Amino acid sequence: MKNENISPIEHNLFNNGTEKYSLSTVIIENTMVFSWILTGAYVCSALFPVFGWIYLIFGFSMILFVMRLLVCRNCYYYGKICHTGWGKLSSFLCKKGDMLKFGVGFT
């Protein structure tokens, strides 16, 4: 029986995805992402120290703010803990967007 009150996106997520992620998954995911940014900054700083700082500032600002405003606000996990926990973070930074625009880009 098809539920008429949910969108096709929500229906597929409910049938094929995970509704709630564990804290250990969130910690592992964020450790990996922040390690990647720190490693990139280290490598860039080997070329020229200012490049390392630029990369570090750019990387963290993109991950913590820009991506939350452009992507997470339209995600199903907005206000919830996704695999990175950023759905919860985005709910503190901006209001909920349109889930049908998720993954569309600049809209």
Side-chain angles (χ1 to χ4, degrees):
M1 176 196 239
K2 185 176 178 184
N3 187 344
E4 300 295 328
N5 296 329
I6 61 174
S7 72
I9 294 170
E10 288 176 308
H11 180 45
N12 287 336
L13 179 67
F14 181 74
N15 287 331
N16 302 323
T18 302
E19 182 64 29
K20 185 177 179 185
Y21 287 87
S22 67
L23 184 59
S24 62
T25 300
V26 172
I27 291 170
I28 291 169
E29 290 274 345
N30 282 296
T31 300
M32 299 286 287
V33 169
F34 291 123
S35 296
W36 169 66
I37 293 172
L38 292 172
T39 301
Y42 177 76
V43 170
C44 287
S45 68
L47 299 171
F48 194 66
V50 173
F51 290 164
W53 285 108
I54 291 170
Y55 184 91
L56 191 68
I57 292 167
F58 178 78
F60 280 119
S61 64
M62 288 298 291
I63 292 294
L64 294 175
F65 301 108
V66 177
M67 294 290 291
R68 300 319 110 232
L69 297 173
L70 294 177
V71 179
C72 292
R73 64 180 287 185
N74 297 322
C75 182
Y76 172 81
Y77 289 103
Y78 175 87
K80 301 176 185 177
I81 296 180
C82 62
H83 66 102
T84 57
W86 297 343
K88 196 68 157 171
L89 175 63
S90 67
S91 69
F92 294 117
L93 298 175
C94 59
K95 61 183 179 176
K96 186 168 177 60
D98 182 4
M99 192 169 30
L100 296 175
K101 292 182 180 178
F102 179 76
V104 175
F106 295 99
T107 56

